[in-house]
Amino acid sequence: MLVLRRSSFCLRSAALLTVLFSIAHAQTKHATHPWMNASLSPDERASMVVKEMTIDEKITLLHGTGMKGLSPMSPLVVHSNGGAGYTPGIPRLGIPAIQMSDAAYGVRMSGENGRYSTALPSCVAGAASWDPEGGYEYGALIGRELRAQGYNMTLGGGVNLTREPRDGRTFEYMGEDPVLAGKMVASVIKGVQSQHVIGDIKHYALNDQESGRNAVNVNIDKRAARESDLLAFEVGVEESDPGAVMCSYNRLNGVYACENKYLLTDVLKRDWKFKNFVVTDWGAAHSTVKASAAGMDQEQPGWIFYGDALKRDVQSGKVPKAELDDHVHRILRAMFATGVVDDQTPRSVVDVLGDLDVARRLEGQSIVLLKNEEAQLPLDSSKIHSIAVIGPHADVGMISGGGSAQVDPPGGNAIMPPGKGQTRWLEPVWFPTSPLKSVRAKAAGATVEFNSGFNPEEAAALAKKADVAVVFAYQWESEDMDLPSLALPEHQDELIAKVAEANPHTVVVLETGGPVTMPWVDKVSAIVEAWYAGSAGSDAVADVLFGDVNPSGKLPLTFPRSDGDLPHPTIVKPPAASLVKPGPEPWKQIAAGLAPFQVTYNEGVEVGYKWYDAENKPVLFPFGFGLSYTTYSYSNLRVTAGKNPQVAFTVINTGNRWGAEVAEVYAALPASAGEPPKRLVGWSKVQLKPGESKDVSIEINPKYLSIYSEQQNGWQLIPGEYSFMVGGSSQNLPLKQSVSLN
Ligand code: BGC
């Protein structure tokens, strides 16, 4: 007892001494480094540091240390944590290095660094949950795993609109609607930054196709840009205050995005009051004086323009000193605001099991049930005797999205021979999350057999003798490529059609980054969109197939009937003159500027459903659509006019299962506004027990009801009649009320 008491006395004294020591330490630190006082504002702290810095220290903070193939390499790169970017800190001033990693749906490059990362469902899946709280959890998981691995900045946060659904990065973005995408990316960034990691929103702006991305000149008028792609960024910036915005590779209306004063200064920094920094995409810088004046703050991954060249131009007065200081201030401000200076916690172990649970739950909320004839799903394991699991690699894994978003699969690529588990640029990666095993686990009493589908006849023969056939079909996407068309590759359309012919109870599970065409749509009984499902993908899909999870995702993008129905039936490809010529140091040609080719977005604001609505084109599955194992009804709409109109209504779960319904609110503007027939202005994901009814009230942000006026250079509400429509998808809106707004 005495021993115990003495030891607790010792512990208490030790704790007291530690506290006293840290207070004393903090006080001395504050005396020499007053900016370490966390009660000051990030701007005050940044200004104090800038005053202490030499010109060389300032320049150091404004660029990276290099990446093979993309820029020159500095010897300092050895201090990089192994991510895509590394900017050394200023140790004498207590400013840590910025260690950046791509982390779109999980932390990249963990394999080659001998670390572990969880792959979440792809970003477009996150958007399909329509759940900002889930988005926050998504971001917080990424932030935690970044910190655990030694990073303090993410390069995630892709929010380019799905203007061109064959864009190879559709899976990395948040769909076709600016309000949904903006709000969802904001929730992810808030989650990331809650872990003291600098968040980033990219690729600013209109980098909506991969083909010729370093050369393309995108033409679009200002109003259309502000109301579509730029609005997604505006909402994201406004709601999450990201530490960084990444300017994109392409030109916009004749000027490269990273030296585009309209984009970087007039819109981002002036109109949206963005206080943090603009980082270039990797190799997207093209000048020193022009880029600096336009508002580009940091060059990555090297220092072609913001190293010696910048120092020289500052010293000769071509770049004003105040401009240099502003770039530095913005970076430091972001570091203070997000807590990366105050919280320099060392690395730790990733919570592998906990994070797998999160990945499974988030995927469960993101899966979209597209078709379910005669309640084919959920499968009742007590009644089913045999299941045929069919599809390329469905015995071992599920596909993931490639490029700089690629997460390395723990356990290795599921379809590579042993020892070849590393990921390579432009090679598909299958995560070892096995649909066959997950289905077998749920249907313990049934015979579950597998066929790859490489021979459709054999697959159909297996399907014929089973109670149910589940076909896992995939469409692989990656950065640095666009899809040739929306059709499933590798004869999968033929496979599905053959299987469906053999078995009327055919369920198709899609592992895709975006929409696909479905010539077999009427032949199968159920369709489940699982997206790229992440590390725990197959279990999450099985949860939905067998009814342990009631699907609640809704499409964040339209599934058109054919490529021909898209605003641009074919993607404009770069001519030979706009391509990098073979040879060493290709980055030099890119930096010097490739010959432009033109892509003209004359559909303007009519992106996604706004296009099909305006053109009166029927679609396969509309934006906002998704079925559930229960049913809902909507009633009692009450719209109250005012500066921020209120839209109130009742949703009832009319079925006999618990469910979560995404209740969507659209508005039609007065005809004089000259806008597409309707736009999403709000939503709420409502949890409902069987038979339960809930009153929902949504306050509408007036900006979402406005048009962008070029004359007034701002948002303008056009006085007149506004119709508000409420329901479960953009094409199922049973409630409607008009009010006059002014
Ligand atoms: C991509 C960015 C990425 C960067 C660093 C670029 O190719 O476009 O999204 O963050 O590389 O890996």
Side-chain angles (χ1 to χ4, degrees):
M1 197 59 183
L2 187 69
V3 176
L4 262 183
R5 251 193 248 127
R6 190 174 291 157
S7 71
S8 72
F9 172 77
C10 290
L11 279 176
R12 267 197 311 243
S13 320
L16 188 67
L17 276 177
T18 316
V19 172
L20 289 176
F21 177 77
S22 31
I23 292 173
H25 181 72
Q27 277 169 351
T28 354
K29 200 109 207 238
H30 289 178
T32 55
H33 292 71
W35 51 87
M36 286 303 178
N37 177 356
S39 67
L40 299 172
S41 74
D43 279 313
E44 285 169 322
R45 300 174 76 183
S47 300
M48 286 172 163
V49 180
V50 174
K51 281 205 193 96
E52 299 293 319
M53 292 170 79
T54 65
I55 185 165
D56 289 320
E57 285 170 340
K58 290 178 185 173
I59 301 279
T60 300
L61 219 52
L62 299 186
H63 63 78
T65 42
M67 194 186 224
K68 210 168 150 230
L70 277 188
S71 74
M73 300 283 283
S74 151
L76 289 177
V77 85
V78 294
H79 301 293
S80 161
N81 191 46
Y86 164 62
T87 292
I90 320 287
R92 78 174 183 96
L93 302 177
I95 303 301
I98 309 181
Q99 297 282 3
M100 308 174 182
S101 175
D102 283 295
Y105 62 91
V107 183
R108 186 187 176 205
M109 286 175 157
S110 48
E112 63 190 78
N113 287 306
R115 303 177 191 139
Y116 169 89
S117 304
T118 307
L120 288 163
S122 55
C123 311
V124 75
S129 74
W130 294 59
D131 177 13
E133 279 169 30
Y136 185 91
E137 242 192 300
Y138 190 110
L141 182 151
I142 288 177
R144 277 198 309 277
E145 294 200 358
L146 282 164
R147 290 302 302 234
Q149 296 191 25
Y151 296 106
N152 56 10
M153 177 165 172
T154 175
L155 304 170
V159 72
N160 296 77
L161 281 200
T162 310
R163 183 181 278 282
E164 170 47 76
R166 291 159 299 197
D167 179 342
R169 302 186 87 169
T170 303
F171 74 96
E172 245 188 278
Y173 300 143
M174 300 248 171
E176 68 191 24
D177 182 80
V179 175
L180 176 66
K183 284 188 168 288
M184 290 306 297
V185 84
S187 64
V188 172
I189 296 296
K190 281 193 260 181
V192 168
Q193 295 195 159
S194 73
Q195 303 303 307
H196 303 150
V197 168
I198 301 171
D200 158 60
I201 296 191
K202 68 188 187 183
H203 307 88
Y204 186 64
L206 284 129
N207 180 184
D208 295 346
Q209 70 172 49
E210 287 295 282
S211 306
R213 62 183 181 173
N214 293 103
V216 65
N217 177 39
V218 170
N219 299 288
I220 186 169
D221 73 68
K222 279 188 187 161
R223 173 172 166 185
R226 293 294 293 255
E227 291 182 12
S228 59
D229 296 61
L230 266 55
L231 178 56
F233 283 92
E234 178 170 1
V235 174
V237 165
E238 182 174 86
E239 296 202 359
S240 69
D241 194 19
V245 168
M246 184 189 286
C247 52
S248 54
Y249 285 125
N250 54 295
R251 296 170 165 100
L252 174 63
N253 294 330
V255 185
Y256 270 119
C258 289
E259 54 188 37
N260 192 312
K261 180 174 165 295
Y262 173 73
L263 275 181
L264 307 186
T265 296
D266 301 354
V267 176
L268 177 65
K269 295 184 178 178
R270 187 195 63 204
D271 293 357
W272 303 346
K273 304 185 177 48
F274 176 67
K275 299 264 182 307
N276 300 315
F277 69 105
V278 173
V279 57
T280 67
D281 199 342
W282 266 227
H286 297 279
S287 60
T288 305
V289 177
K290 185 175 179 189
S292 174
M296 176 185 115
D297 298 308
Q298 192 186 65
E299 179 186 2
Q300 291 292 347
W303 65 96
I304 307 169
F305 300 105
Y306 271 23
D308 291 345
L310 179 59
K311 185 172 174 184
R312 207 176 42 236
D313 287 342
V314 171
Q315 283 168 337
S316 71
K318 281 195 203 147
V319 170
K321 197 176 152 292
E323 212 171 88
L324 174 80
D325 285 355
D326 182 56
H327 300 316
V328 178
H329 181 101
R330 286 170 172 278
I331 296 169
L332 291 167
R333 185 198 188 276
M335 295 177 82
F336 283 117
T338 50
V340 308
V341 180
D342 299 327
D343 178 1
Q344 298 188 29
T345 332
R347 297 178 200 183
S348 58
V349 174
V350 169
D351 176 5
V352 178
L353 298 180
D355 287 356
L356 274 175
D357 281 348
V358 177
R360 181 171 181 169
R361 192 158 31 79
L362 292 181
E363 169 67 359
Q365 289 165 19
S366 306
I367 288 173
V368 184
L369 179 61
L370 292 174
K371 181 172 179 185
N372 196 17
E373 226 152 68
E374 291 169 28
Q376 172 67 64
L377 294 175
L379 302 174
D380 183 344
S381 54
S382 67
K383 294 199 182 123
I384 291 177
H385 303 293
S386 54
I387 304 177
V389 170
I390 294 167
H393 315 302
D395 51 340
V396 290
M398 295 183 84
I399 194 77
S400 61
S404 58
Q406 181 72 63
V407 174
D408 296 338
N413 192 338
I415 65 156
M416 277 191 175
K420 297 229 167 146
Q422 77 268 46
T423 56
R424 292 199 203 88
W425 198 253
L426 287 181
E427 278 184 13
V429 171
W430 294 78
F431 268 68
T433 174
S434 152
L436 178 63
K437 278 192 195 157
S438 298
V439 169
R440 279 196 173 137
K442 294 272 182 191
T447 313
V448 183
E449 286 185 82
F450 170 73
N451 184 285
S452 70
F454 293 134
N455 178 334
E457 310 296 339
E458 277 175 29
L462 179 69
K464 204 175 173 82
K465 53 178 200 167
D467 290 345
V468 180
V470 187
V471 185
F472 287 82
Y474 80 98
Q475 166 77 287
W476 179 70
E477 284 179 5
S478 171
E479 175 183 342
D480 212 8
M481 61 164 246
D482 291 319
L483 296 172
S485 88
L486 295 176
L488 288 170
E490 293 201 54
H491 311 289
Q492 293 177 89
D493 283 338
E494 184 197 336
L495 168 69
I496 297 169
K498 285 247 156 73
V499 170
E501 230 166 75
N503 189 327
H505 303 289
T506 293
V507 177
V508 176
V509 177
L510 293 166
E511 303 167 37
T512 72
V516 286
T517 47
M518 304 182 195
W520 35 263
V521 67
D522 296 326
K523 301 195 178 115
V524 302
S525 54
I527 305 171
V528 173
E529 175 55 84
W531 313 107
Y532 299 152
S535 291
S538 63
D539 285 339
V541 169
D543 288 340
V544 166
L545 293 178
F546 290 87
D548 297 322
V549 167
N550 187 359
S552 64
K554 299 264 173 110
L555 292 180
L557 33 70
T558 307
F559 277 53
R561 288 185 159 186
S562 71
D563 286 59
D565 284 344
L566 294 170
H568 304 272
T570 50
I571 292 193
V572 183
K573 295 281 178 182
S578 299
L579 298 175
V580 174
K581 312 275 169 301
E585 300 182 323
W587 49 270
K588 285 195 173 159
Q589 297 172 46
I590 295 174
L594 299 171
F597 68 102
Q598 309 299 318
V599 167
T600 301
Y601 290 137
N602 40 19
E603 75 281 2
V605 72
E606 289 169 5
V607 178
Y609 64 95
K610 294 172 184 163
W611 163 258
Y612 302 102
D613 278 0
E615 295 286 307
N616 246 315
K617 276 187 205 266
V619 300
L620 196 53
F621 295 107
F623 175 79
F625 175 79
L627 300 169
S628 160
Y629 296 149
T630 186
T631 45
Y632 304 99
S633 86
Y634 286 80
S635 55
N636 202 16
L637 176 62
R638 289 143 291 147
V639 180
T640 318
K643 189 166 164 289
N644 291 34
Q646 292 281 337
V647 177
F649 54 92
T650 307
V651 192
I652 309 176
N653 181 344
T654 47
N656 49 17
R657 265 175 185 267
W658 180 94
E661 165 72 339
V662 177
E664 303 163 33
V665 182
Y666 294 82
L669 272 59
S672 60
E675 288 287 308
K678 64 174 174 292
R679 49 163 85 165
L680 180 76
V681 293
W683 78 90
S684 173
K685 194 160 184 173
V686 196
Q687 321 264 345
L688 292 162
K689 296 189 208 95
E692 191 182 7
S693 108
K694 272 191 188 160
D695 288 331
V696 180
S697 179
I698 300 176
E699 184 179 295
I700 311 298
N701 183 335
K703 191 187 288 175
Y704 306 161
L705 298 168
S706 301
I707 64 158
Y708 187 81
S709 156
E710 277 190 51
Q711 293 75 36
Q712 297 182 13
N713 188 35
W715 292 101
Q716 191 190 6
L717 190 102
I718 304 294
E721 279 288 289
Y722 285 72
S723 294
F724 288 88
M725 293 156 275
V726 177
S729 105
S730 66
Q731 286 192 11
N732 182 12
L733 298 165
L735 308 182
K736 184 172 176 179
Q737 187 185 332
S738 297
V739 294
S740 150
L741 299 178
N742 47 50

